[in-house]
């Protein structure tokens, strides 16, 4: 039966339902603000499973440090880092310049897809929210992909996420506080300007808005 949630439903209520309904769910994360808040909320609600991260070979050092700080803070969670298995290309030959879709498919989607197919969780806990980008404006708590995706933060605004992170002294990626409101690989991420959507700094000027994990024919 579909839960009777509204936009005001607290994310922990959604997470509690998810843990009861899909006890073997998985939580993939890129350790952005949203991801850090979701990890904390999930932990407080009783999640003790895996937090799965894909190391594309192009992450900012601050992102890897954030992962390590979170792993220290939540020793009961199992932090899993999947290696893309591809060396960064020599300068001048970077695939992300000429074929970012192919680069994301090889470095992000394929490693996570392969891991998820092996683990076969019934559902994925996901940290996306509506106000991150116009393409996410209609996101709901529940989403049907190849398996159920549960988005407890769908209706939380950036301001609310920041307030939560500050109130609980969460180890947010320090790049966030200098304008990197959404943080992916360094070649494809810039700080956003005032008034821009959080994800406007991802693949800016390249006509690409999603890595393919959650949207597109290879989406999970
Ligand atoms: S975000 Fe950029 S560097 Fe990272 S996998 Fe995608 S295209 Fe490649």
């Amino acid at each position: 039966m579909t839960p009777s949630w509204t936009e005001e439903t607290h994310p922990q209520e959604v997470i509690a339902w998810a843990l009861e309904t899909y006890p073997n769910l998985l939580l993939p994360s890129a350790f952005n603000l949203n991801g850090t808040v979701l990890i904390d909320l999930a932990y407080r609600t009783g999640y003790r499973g895996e937090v799965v991260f894909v190391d594309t070979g192009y992450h900012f050092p601050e992102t890897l440090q954030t992962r390590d700080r979170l792993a220290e803070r939540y020793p009961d969670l199992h932090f899993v880092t999947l290696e893309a298995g591809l060396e960064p290309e020599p300068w001048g030959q970077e695939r992300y310049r000429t074929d970012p879709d192919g680069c994301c498919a090889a470095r992000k989607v394929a490693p996570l897809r392969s891991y998820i197919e092996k683990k076969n969780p019934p559902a994925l806990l996901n940290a996306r929210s509506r106000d991150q980008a116009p393409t996410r404006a209609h996101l709901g708590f529940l989403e049907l992909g190849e398996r159920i995706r549960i988005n407890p933060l769908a209706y939380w605004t950036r301001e609310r996420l920041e307030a939560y992170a500050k109130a609980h002294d969460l180890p947010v990626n320090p790049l966030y506080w200098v304008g990197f409101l959404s943080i992916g690989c360094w070649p494809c991420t810039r700080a956003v300007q005032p008034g821009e959507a959080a994800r406007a700094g991802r693949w800016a000027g390249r006509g690409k808005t999603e890595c393919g994990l959650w949207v597109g024919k290879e989406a999970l």
Side-chain angles (χ1 to χ4, degrees):
M1 194 172 88
T2 308
S4 53
W5 294 326
T6 71
E7 295 185 12
E8 303 304 320
T9 300
H10 194 279
Q12 277 191 284
E13 188 178 327
V14 178
I15 295 169
W17 174 87
L19 296 182
E20 192 181 331
T21 311
Y22 303 107
N24 295 323
L25 58 75
L26 272 189
L27 195 172
S29 185
F31 309 127
N32 281 294
L33 172 69
N34 288 46
T36 298
V37 169
L38 180 62
I39 289 167
D40 188 79
L41 286 165
Y43 184 81
R44 287 170 192 272
T45 314
Y47 183 64
R48 294 294 184 270
E50 294 185 352
V51 178
V52 185
F53 169 71
V54 182
D55 187 349
T56 61
Y58 286 116
H59 283 293
F60 291 97
E62 290 87 344
T63 301
L64 303 179
Q65 288 157 11
T66 301
R67 171 200 60 190
D68 295 344
R69 291 172 69 202
L70 286 163
E72 259 177 48
R73 181 176 170 120
Y74 306 101
D76 298 345
L77 295 177
H78 183 43
F79 283 71
V80 177
T81 296
L82 308 176
E83 305 288 344
L86 303 167
E87 292 298 319
E89 295 90 345
W91 183 254
Q93 299 176 25
E94 298 90 344
R95 190 176 183 183
Y96 57 77
R97 288 178 184 275
T98 54
D99 178 21
D101 285 341
C103 185
C104 278
R107 289 181 180 274
K108 278 192 183 178
V109 181
L112 190 54
R113 165 171 286 285
S114 160
Y115 189 75
I116 283 177
E117 282 176 355
K118 191 175 73 181
K119 303 284 287 192
N120 198 24
L124 300 172
L125 210 51
N126 190 266
R128 288 171 300 154
S129 54
R130 288 185 166 211
D131 78 348
Q132 285 180 305
T135 50
R136 297 183 178 181
H138 302 292
L139 192 69
F141 286 130
L142 296 181
E143 198 181 15
L144 197 54
E146 229 169 69
R147 56 200 80 223
I148 301 279
R149 302 178 203 153
I150 300 149
N151 310 310
L153 303 179
Y155 297 96
W156 269 22
T157 62
R158 179 152 65 85
E159 292 71 23
R160 189 147 187 203
L161 290 160
E162 285 182 8
Y164 183 92
K166 286 178 179 166
H168 295 88
D169 196 24
L170 300 187
V172 174
N173 189 326
L175 292 173
Y176 180 85
W177 303 115
V178 293
F180 290 77
L181 302 188
S182 176
I183 307 166
C185 299
W186 63 260
C188 304
T189 306
R190 66 156 171 80
V192 302
Q193 304 301 316
E196 284 187 323
R199 286 177 63 83
R202 304 288 296 276
W203 305 282
R206 287 190 244 175
K208 176 174 167 68
T209 56
E210 295 282 349
C211 62
L213 285 174
W214 312 115
V215 175
K217 61 182 188 317
E218 290 300 314
L220 300 172

